[in-house]
Structure formats: structure tokens, C-alpha cells
Amino acid sequence: PHPKRLRSGHPRYDETLARHEAAMTAGEPGYRDPTSGLFVFTARFLADRGYCCDSGCRHCPYVV
């Protein structure tokens, strides 16, 4: 994820990336954030959607 969306020093950074990877591997649209419990879309789901919605998605492939 872009550093503005999830900093590398976040206490659950590695767990978050592992959940993202597991969701991508399973073909799931997202995963539960280990800190907040909110549903987070995967980069693949967001790329397949085809546009940025300007909601600040953690794995947005359109962040510049």
C-alpha cells in the first residue's frame, strides 16, 4: 500500500499485508483489517473496478 495509506511502522503492518495477500490468493474482494475490523478492498478488486473513487482506499492502485 501507499505509505500515506499504511505506514511501514504501523504495529500490525506485517499482519495487514499477510491478510491482503491471503485475500488476493483466495480471489476474495477484501479482508478484515486486524486493527479496526473494517472491510478493506484488495488492490486487485480496486484495479478491476477501473477507476479511483477518491475514498482513500488503502490498496488503491491509482494513488500517485
Side-chain angles (χ1 to χ4, degrees):
H2 192 279
K4 290 181 180 177
R5 308 281 168 90
L6 182 68
R7 57 184 172 75
S8 60
H10 186 280
R12 296 180 93 175
Y13 184 81
D14 291 336
E15 181 181 357
T16 301
L17 293 186
R19 287 186 182 207
H20 179 256
E21 183 60 32
M24 295 270 289
T25 300
E28 298 292 330
Y31 62 94
R32 291 276 168 206
D33 178 76
T35 302
S36 69
L38 297 174
F39 190 78
V40 179
F41 290 118
T42 64
R44 180 178 299 128
F45 175 86
L46 296 169
D48 288 348
R49 184 172 58 189
Y51 63 92
C52 177
C53 64
D54 275 334
S55 293
C57 300
R58 176 177 291 158
H59 301 289
C60 182
Y62 303 103
V63 175
V64 188

